[in-house]
Amino acid sequence: MGTTAVDRDRLLDHPSFPVFWAARVLSALAFQMSAVAIGWLVYARTGSAYSLGLVGLFQFLPMVVLTLLVGHVADQYDRRRIVQICQLVEGLTLAVLAVAIFDDWLTIPGVFAAVLVLGAARAFEQPTMAALLPALVPAVALPRALAISSSAVQTATIIGPSLGGLLYAVGVTAPFVIAAVFFLAACGLMTFMRLQRSVPRREPPTLRSVFSGIAFIRSRPVILGSISLDMFAVLLGGATALLPIYAHDILQTGPWGLGLLRSAPAVGALTMSAVLTRVPLRRGVGRKMFAAVIVFGAATVVFAASTSLVVSLVALAVLGAADNVSVVIRSSLVQLLTPDEMRGRVSAVNSLFVGTSNQLGEFESGMAAGLLGAVPAGVLGGIGTIVIALLWMRLFPGLRKTETLSG
């Protein structure tokens, strides 16, 4: 017998899923608040697009260095404890930043050092958290669980930047203090998480096992195509990394406006998550993923060329909705096509691709904006995203022809 929608809803009633959901919301809130505060702080003190790019670079470097180690650790040790340690480190790092700002001894190199530590912690936290979810719900409920989890993150991404911007306007230390508290609260919640399935027996650490995540992805063109498409699309279409410049110089707004701009993609993504939760993606998922990336690129072009706050917010909302479709399809394909004993390593490599598109994309956008200006850099990036989507349709025909999320 097939599994009905009611059955799928009940499958998500595992007592640890709400704990996972709450911990992820708090962590996402803390990250978004701190991202707004760090971006505005760096640009306010330096006035440099290059400095904003360096923030992305220092977040990205730990992912490159630690990816293979992260994957093996996530498959070798208790994933809950790994996430807890990461959230503890993130909370303490932001607390130190708050003290440094309050006592007026924080320097820009000090901010970059803190960002490096945060990047290292997130390099472990993100793939490990992703590998945890399949152990909380049955496989049949995973796509729906991913959509619900995504909606939680997007809700936090709406609230976090706005809250971070408002708190920054109240006091520079405020967003760092609250973000630190949220990370520590998430760390505490992880203590109450119980897995539905036992952790399988782990293989001993070898060079082959450490690199097996890369080998696995290379042997699965559908997975390789989906995560590389996401990487290059967001890498080129990373105009959102320039939001402090757009808010300050082009749209003539303050920290509150920056918070709204950072929230807008999440508004679109949350709306799309609600749609996907009620109307799951069933057929033609490959074609829908490519269409979503093309819409993402077009929305990036509109945002980059806009001089109106309203138009910019609408473009960013459309961008976020399109990105959410791509993320849900990619995440579902990666998790459903990967055996549990490989999920840590595969999720780590996937996080490297995602980190490349986000953090390295911020660096690339900052450098391009420094050379060309923010508007030309954003427009060219959006056009590049569309070109990549069209090219990937030819390079990965298997992904284009994928009908269902099970491959």
Side-chain angles (χ1 to χ4, degrees), residues 97-167:
L97 274 179
V99 171
I101 294 170
F102 183 78
D103 287 342
D104 197 26
W105 51 267
L106 181 67
T107 63
I108 293 301
V111 175
F112 291 152
V115 169
L116 191 67
V117 173
L118 292 171
R122 288 189 67 78
F124 278 91
E125 181 188 3
Q126 288 184 307
T128 307
M129 186 72 89
L132 264 176
L133 183 55
L136 298 178
V137 298
V140 68
L142 185 59
R144 188 173 176 84
L146 284 167
I148 293 173
S149 179
S150 176
S151 69
V153 173
Q154 299 305 337
T155 301
T157 308
I158 293 171
I159 299 172
S162 299
L163 182 57
L166 289 172
L167 287 172

Side-chain angles (χ1 to χ4, degrees), residues 38 44 60-61 66 68 72 76 155 157 177 246 262 269 274 297 313 315 332 378 384 390:
I38 289 172
F60 166 73
L61 286 176
L66 297 173
L68 298 179
H72 186 77
Q76 192 75 24
T155 301
T157 308
V177 171
Y246 277 92
R262 287 194 67 103
L313 291 172
S332 297
L390 297 175

Side-chain angles (χ1 to χ4, degrees), residues 150-305:
S150 176
S151 69
V153 173
Q154 299 305 337
T155 301
T157 308
I158 293 171
I159 299 172
S162 299
L163 182 57
L166 289 172
L167 287 172
Y168 193 100
V170 172
V172 179
T173 62
F176 295 100
V177 171
I178 301 301
V181 170
F182 283 179
F183 269 129
L184 296 176
C187 175
L189 280 173
M190 295 297 294
T191 304
F192 302 99
M193 185 178 296
R194 298 292 180 268
L195 302 184
Q196 186 182 62
R197 295 187 293 277
S198 61
V199 178
R201 183 179 179 181
R202 305 304 184 189
E203 58 185 284
T206 64
L207 193 61
R208 180 179 179 180
S209 70
V210 169
F211 282 90
S212 59
I214 295 176
F216 181 87
I217 289 175
R218 288 185 61 187
S219 68
R220 304 297 193 280
V222 169
I223 296 179
L224 177 62
S226 64
I227 64 177
S228 60
L229 172 63
D230 183 87
M231 180 189 76
F232 283 107
V234 182
L235 174 63
L236 293 173
T240 52
L242 305 176
L243 288 181
I245 298 176
Y246 277 92
H248 188 275
D249 298 342
I250 297 174
L251 301 175
Q252 303 293 313
T253 185
W256 64 271
L258 175 60
L260 289 177
L261 290 171
R262 287 194 67 103
S263 297
V267 172
L270 179 61
T271 303
M272 183 57 67
S273 291
V275 172
L276 294 179
T277 300
R278 290 167 175 76
V279 187
L281 294 164
R282 300 187 186 279
R283 309 296 300 178
V285 296
R287 295 188 299 275
K288 290 175 181 176
M289 183 175 187
F290 283 110
V293 173
I294 291 172
V295 171
F296 178 92
T300 299
V301 172
V302 173
F303 165 75

Side-chain angles (χ1 to χ4, degrees), residues 340-379:
D340 185 65
E341 65 272 13
M342 288 288 299
R343 282 197 174 109
R345 281 161 286 185
V346 171
S347 293
V349 177
N350 182 41
S351 287
L352 175 61
F353 277 73
V354 174
T356 298
S357 62
N358 291 327
Q359 277 73 49
L360 190 57
E362 290 183 15
F363 176 67
E364 178 271 333
S365 296
M367 297 301 104
L371 292 171
L372 305 173
V375 173
V379 170

